[in-house]
Amino acid sequence: ATMHETRRQGRAGFALLRLSHLQGTTVPELDGAATRHPVLIVGAGPIGMTAALVLARYGIRAVLIDRKDTFNDGSRAICIARPSMHILERIGAVAPFVEKALGWRSGRSYYRGEQIFRLEMPHPPGEEYLPMYNLQQQYIEKFLHDAVAASDLIDMRWQSELAGIECHADGVSVRVSSPEGDYRLNASYVLAADGARSPIRSMLGLRLKGDNYEGRYVIADIRMDHDFPTERRAFFEPAANPGGTVLIHKQPDDIWRIDYQLREGESEEEALKEENIRARVGAILADINHTKPWELEWWSVYSANTLCLDDYRHGRVFFIGDAAHIVPIFGVRGLNNGLADAENLGWKLASVLNGEADEKLLDSYSPERRGATLDVFANATKSTRFMTPPTRGWRLAREAALSLSLKHEFPRGLANPRQMQPYTYSESPLTPYAKRDAEFAGGPVSGSVTPNARLADGHFLLDLAGIGMTAILFCNGSPSAEQTALFDQLGKIDKRFIALPVACQESTARARAIPDTNGKIARLFAAEPDTFYLLRPDLHIAGRWKTAIADEILRTAGRCLGREAP
């Protein structure tokens, strides 16, 4: 979730996680070194650290700077969606997230105390992760930082603030301020992961465009012993917040996140006073019949906005996460959208820097990820207008829908803050044969995220995918000579290529394919013998063919490495 106009309040020494200050270190540039770094990442939040880890996965060195000397505290972004867990898995950081986070797949919506909607997110048996996980942002940052610290390819520099930037045709030069002194740093590319108030964006004269919404919410993290399961609860017009809404999420360590909407005309300054927050939270807890003691740990405020840059690329500077877009908190899209930015740009930039892809590949980053942002806006705007009605007309419409929901089924879905869904790159220049979808009766479409499947040995199909392109071929026991030749040609286009043949019939002792017990994988992909799926490094589907067409498959693979102009 992304907070706009955030104010940090609360107690010093946040009780959830004792954080030592992360000291800056002496850097080579201060000793006169004139190194040209492949990548500079500005901002060591979850998005910046993920981008560094994606690059490191491909052997690319990066310098990662942040002006802070410790992690953020408070819950902030807390909901990690299933696709993001796969990203964390691919960068080798997922284990502590699985151990600490609270997984969930359901939610409830209430109107004036009465339940009107029950959310059940799909959880197919072949999926490795639950649809959603709750984890406070300081843990997210700590776990990612542990992975960053373990990498020899990431030069992490805390207490280092970008003070100036100059863009050139062949690179970027920046000035960095640190406690040890100012220095000049040169990089081939810069990733701006410096947040909603991005200094880089300001320095380059760029600005976000879009809509600002009037509704404001206070976030309060509290500690309490409460036995409600891990679900997202949304309360419309509860007794504790008449005319407004309340959201409640459970987090690890007996911490609960409570978001409540400020009333129209309510002073933000007054609302953020500790005594007023305690009174409002106390009333909300009374509404859910919680009478045990509780502690107020941290609080902040945010408003809902749909803002983004016209282009996420400015020469050799790329914007990711909140530096590129601000999305409403409803539907947990902020963090997850930013993690997808980091992976999308990371594999493409690494391929270019490794000499494995043409620089034209980088032209696909902004259309794909800005398209994802606009899709988020289209969905999140519906939720935002319902959660925080911008006009009297919207307020009347919401009240009518909620009132009808007490007795009728049809309007109840409106009370569901729509959850984040991964974007489908069906119109991307890297998806040239999306028309082949028409040949299938079902299965995942071109551009979508590849579904996972549990294998007979207990492992998962996507665990076998590589860090380059991956092919899933459905065959009769073993690939034919022609199919093997196609694999060889793909291996010449992409040296990281991995082939995953799947047997469409009971495998024999000599079969060289993944056994598909009872045809579950084939049904998932709507496949038959000779069906071919080509996956990108981020496991989005570059194309699928009911019957393999070699020249189209090879052309698609080349397109995914920027080797053919769209």
Side-chain angles (χ1 to χ4, degrees), residues 416-479:
N416 173 34
R418 296 166 178 82
Q419 302 305 306
M420 176 267 180
Q421 296 292 330
Y423 185 59
T424 296
Y425 302 127
S426 57
E427 298 181 4
S428 167
L430 307 189
T431 315
Y433 294 102
K435 63 183 180 182
R436 292 293 177 192
D437 287 335
E439 300 170 5
F440 289 79
V445 300
S446 298
S448 66
V449 170
T450 308
N452 213 350
R454 187 182 295 272
L455 305 180
D457 62 3
H459 291 88
F460 291 87
L461 179 65
L462 296 185
D463 292 345
L464 304 178
I467 65 173
M469 283 181 288
T470 299
I472 301 175
L473 169 71
F474 293 85
C475 58
N476 287 316
S478 298

Side-chain angles (χ1 to χ4, degrees), residues 107 117 123 130 182 186 197 204 258 273 278 289 298 304 306 420 542:
F117 181 78
H123 183 52
L130 288 167
D182 291 3
N186 298 308
R197 298 183 182 88
L204 296 178
I258 298 177
K273 290 181 178 179
R278 288 185 178 278
N289 299 316
W298 175 89
T306 51
M420 176 267 180

Side-chain angles (χ1 to χ4, degrees), residues 433 436 439 486 530 532 545-555:
Y433 294 102
R436 292 293 177 192
E439 300 170 5
L486 176 56
D530 203 32
F532 195 102
W545 293 262
K546 196 70 173 180
T547 300
I549 302 175
D551 62 337
E552 291 187 3
I553 292 168
L554 295 172
R555 196 172 295 122

